[in-house]
Amino acid sequence: MSYLDATQDLYKEAALTPDVGLCCTTNPVWQFPGLSIPKIMQEMNYGCGSTVSAQDLVNDPKVLYVGVGGGMELLQFAYFSRQIAGVTGVDSVDEMLEASRNNFKIAEEENDWFKSEYVNLVKGDALNLPVEDESIDVAAQNCLFNIFKMEDLKKAVSEMYRVLKPHGRLVMSDPTCEQPMNEELRNDDRLRALCLSGSIPIRDYVKVLTDAGFGTIEIRARKSYRVLTPNHYPTDELIHIESIEIAAIKDPMPTDGPCIFTGKTAIYYGNEEYFDDHKGHVLQQNQPLAVCDKTAAALAEASDEIHISESTWHYDGGGCC
């Protein structure tokens, strides 16, 4: 049995018998005015964060969500895209697709604005998406891609890149880990399927995205997720796993490399009214400006009167790169 087969079996079980303890179902469930999320959807919220952000979902976007879970994020996306097949949900597990269909019937009863036809459920997998090229405004996945081994991860990301329109967004939540894991952990198919032993460092995760062609990367949140400890797992040391919420934007790749936002800001504190590097970055006196990491480094070289903050690993837009 391959690790992908183990994943299929695990989520078949989770569809037939909802498992409240699977993944991080204790995360806040984002509510919006007039939106009621059925209890069963919350119990089947098999994710490690959220991929739903109002800033991404303007003008009735076409949305793709891979790995449907109990349908909660599909319902949240449909809130912003109230059109027939405005949201497409792709999953390889028949039982999970059927569970979502049943959950949407409950959602229709609880939400007078919602119609099941707003969501098109399709059987397929992340490595070969049944979606046309450049047809999607916002693509998303939650706690899925970390399961993939590296070559499959690259393929899944390239498929998302393929289906996105120019300037479209790939929004994800995934576990990451900065510590090395031993081979026993890495090769445990069930632990990988449980979103534990497939986690990779953020820099490696970002490199997969930029290698696929995404020109702008936004790290929107970084928080504690799980620990693997010697008394419960085959490891000699405690391993801390974090989850990140990240957006990769299908912008053209800049000639000097991708713009990666990790929450850094630049503040000019010299004696002039403003600082202009003549490369598109103007800093007003004592006003913070969000900057990508490469711009932060360039500004630090350009002047010793600019304060560059450490990465907060939280970025919510604005600034320049």
Side-chain angles (χ1 to χ4, degrees), residues 102-121:
N102 293 333
N103 293 346
F104 288 142
K105 294 176 184 176
I106 301 171
E108 282 187 326
E109 296 173 0
E110 295 187 13
N111 295 273
D112 57 12
W113 60 268
F114 177 68
K115 295 179 174 59
S116 292
E117 64 187 11
Y118 292 168
V119 181
N120 180 33
L121 293 173

Side-chain angles (χ1 to χ4, degrees), residues 25 86 149:
T25 54
K149 294 182 179 180

Side-chain angles (χ1 to χ4, degrees), residues 206-232:
V206 168
K207 188 175 188 302
V208 172
L209 296 170
T210 57
D211 284 351
F214 289 100
T216 302
I217 308 295
E218 301 176 353
I219 306 232
R220 295 178 170 179
R222 179 180 179 179
K223 50 197 171 184
S224 190
Y225 175 66
R226 293 286 193 272
V227 292
L228 306 181
T229 58
N231 58 321
H232 291 295

Side-chain angles (χ1 to χ4, degrees), residues 21-310:
L22 186 65
C23 289
C24 195
T25 54
T26 57
N27 266 14
V29 175
W30 305 128
Q31 300 281 3
F32 302 104
L35 171 63
S36 174
I37 300 175
K39 181 180 178 182
I40 184 63
M41 283 188 174
Q42 297 184 43
E43 291 175 348
M44 296 178 69
N45 175 26
Y46 304 138
C48 61
S50 177
T51 62
V52 183
S53 178
Q55 69 190 30
D56 300 321
L57 301 168
V58 296
N59 301 323
D60 293 322
K62 288 287 188 177
V63 180
L64 168 67
Y65 188 70
V66 182
V68 300
M72 187 185 82
E73 285 187 282
L74 290 166
L75 175 64
Q76 291 172 315
F77 281 124
Y79 179 90
F80 294 93
S81 187
R82 303 183 188 189
Q83 55 185 308
I84 296 175
V87 181
T88 297
V90 174
D91 206 298
S92 60
V93 180
D94 290 322
E95 292 80 4
M96 197 63 81
L97 290 166
E98 184 62 24
S100 289
R101 288 190 186 96
N102 293 333
N103 293 346
F104 288 142
K105 294 176 184 176
I106 301 171
E108 282 187 326
E109 296 173 0
E110 295 187 13
N111 295 273
D112 57 12
W113 60 268
F114 177 68
K115 295 179 174 59
S116 292
E117 64 187 11
Y118 292 168
V119 181
N120 180 33
L121 293 173
V122 181
K123 184 171 182 179
D125 67 78
L127 304 181
N128 296 282
L129 290 172
V131 180
E132 293 181 2
D133 294 0
E134 298 189 354
S135 60
I136 299 296
D137 296 297
V138 178
Q141 66 84 20
N142 194 333
C143 213
L144 171 63
F145 281 11
N146 77 99
I147 293 172
F148 292 134
K149 294 182 179 180
M150 184 54 72
E151 289 309 307
D152 287 337
L153 174 60
K154 292 178 180 178
K155 176 63 174 171
V157 169
S158 69
E159 276 290 276
M160 291 291 215
Y161 187 88
R162 174 183 67 80
V163 303
L164 281 170
K165 298 176 184 178
H167 308 292
R169 297 176 176 227
L170 169 57
V171 187
M172 301 171 291
S173 178
D174 252 328
T176 60
C177 183
E178 301 304 313
Q179 297 169 255
M181 290 191 193
N182 62 50
E183 288 303 306
E184 187 173 359
L185 285 171
R186 290 293 189 198
N187 294 325
D188 188 312
D189 291 345
R190 186 166 179 84
L191 289 181
R192 183 175 283 273
L194 286 167
C195 303
L196 294 174
S197 64
S199 306
I200 60 176
I202 293 175
R203 65 181 180 277
D204 295 341
Y205 196 99
V206 168
K207 188 175 188 302
V208 172
L209 296 170
T210 57
D211 284 351
F214 289 100
T216 302
I217 308 295
E218 301 176 353
I219 306 232
R220 295 178 170 179
R222 179 180 179 179
K223 50 197 171 184
S224 190
Y225 175 66
R226 293 286 193 272
V227 292
L228 306 181
T229 58
N231 58 321
H232 291 295
Y233 299 94
T235 175
D236 294 330
E237 62 178 350
L238 184 150
I239 298 175
H240 180 220
I241 301 174
E242 299 172 294
S243 69
I244 59 169
E245 294 174 11
I246 186 169
I249 303 173
K250 194 176 178 178
D251 289 338
M253 182 65 67
T255 56
D256 60 348
C259 298
I260 301 171
F261 289 87
T262 63
K264 289 186 176 181
T265 59
I267 301 179
Y268 171 63
Y269 58 87
N271 294 322
E272 303 299 322
E273 184 178 350
Y274 61 88
F275 174 86
D276 186 348
D277 71 351
H278 303 292
K279 296 179 181 178
H281 311 108
V282 178
L283 280 68
Q284 301 297 324
Q285 171 68 241
N286 208 25
Q287 295 294 314
L289 180 70
V291 290
C292 72
D293 288 8
K294 69 179 181 184
T295 295
L299 289 173
E301 284 287 323
S303 172
D304 58 5
E305 296 180 318
I306 297 176
H307 176 268
I308 304 295
S309 73
E310 298 294 328

